[in-house]
Amino acid sequence: AQSVTQLDSQVPVFEEAPVELRCNYSSSVSVYLFWYVQYPNQGLQLLLKYLSGSTLVKGINGFEAEFNKSQTSFHLRKPSVHISDTAEYFCAVSNQGGKLIFGQGTELSVKP
Amino acid sequence: NAGVTQTPKFRVLKTGQSMTLLCAQDMNHEYMYWYRQDPGMGLRLIHYSVGEGTTAKGEVPDGYNVSRLKKQNFLLGLESAAPSQTSVYFCASSYLANQPQHFGDGTRLSIL
């Protein structure tokens, strides 16, 4: 069975500092990987996706993630965060069937 | 272009009452999904549909029923609400399996 583990439940960081949100997954088959962001009282928005091809994926708002098959990881990074990046971030994995399995979420808190 | 619209946005029920949550999408997507979001648990799939007239069970289907009579609508029903069903419910849709899912803004449901 597939599973997703987000290694940090909360990540506090100062504005303009770099940030990495960690995600590990387990699966015995080929997977598709996603990062979503959820702002307060809103639904989830897609940040970026890995379906195939280049292992470095660039998304919206300056975020990027790297797919590492040997380490079964898909960590999210941003070189310089803004106050507006404060939100909850979810890593998700799906297989051929299209059903998403979500991690528990990481709360990113950007402080001035 | 509204995307995915969920109604109602908030609802309070008493134990044993029934209700239906409505999800409507205007993107001509084949796949539709219902999730519940609980603190520290990410999103968990309740039921999903791969096309008009089809439904299938997800990870946590007990106590819920769904119907997809029209391609654009996906209904989630609670026949006899229980306090354990207090949660935020999200509907999502996608054009195909493994394509990014588009989410509604959620329905906050409290069962007293």
Side-chain angles (χ1 to χ4, degrees), chain A residues 32 36 38 41 43 90 94-95, chain B residues 37 42 90 98 100-101 104 108:
Chain A
Y32 306 92
Y36 286 86
Q38 184 180 32
N41 299 314
F90 291 95
S94 74
N95 59 13
Chain B
Q37 182 179 27
F90 286 99
N98 300 318
Q101 295 182 16
R108 293 184 179 276

Side-chain angles (χ1 to χ4, degrees), chain B:
Chain B
N1 190 345
V4 178
T5 303
Q6 292 183 233
T7 52
K9 296 189 184 304
F10 304 94
R11 188 73 183 270
V12 178
L13 291 178
K14 294 181 179 179
T15 298
Q17 287 184 317
S18 63
M19 80 161 295
T20 300
L21 281 65
L22 172 63
C23 176
Q25 53 96 1
D26 61 3
M27 297 173 284
N28 200 34
H29 284 171
E30 291 292 335
Y31 288 67
M32 296 188 74
Y33 313 83
W34 275 107
Y35 296 91
R36 59 177 290 171
Q37 182 179 27
D38 302 292
M41 302 186 74
L43 279 76
R44 293 178 292 168
L45 183 65
I46 305 172
H47 287 281
Y48 65 102
S49 168
V50 301
E52 181 179 318
T54 74
T55 63
K57 294 181 180 179
E59 183 184 355
V60 289
D62 294 342
Y64 305 95
N65 57 75
V66 288
S67 65
R68 183 119 181 252
L69 299 179
K70 294 183 178 180
K71 185 176 183 178
Q72 63 268 33
N73 295 336
F74 195 29
L75 279 62
L76 178 71
L78 286 73
E79 290 187 346
S80 179
S84 61
Q85 295 176 305
T86 293
S87 187
V88 182
Y89 291 85
F90 286 99
C91 177
S93 70
S94 64
Y95 184 61
L96 293 172
N98 300 318
Q99 293 299 309
Q101 295 182 16
H102 298 254
F103 285 80
D105 286 338
T107 295
R108 293 184 179 276
L109 184 61
S110 294
I111 316 290
L112 303 178

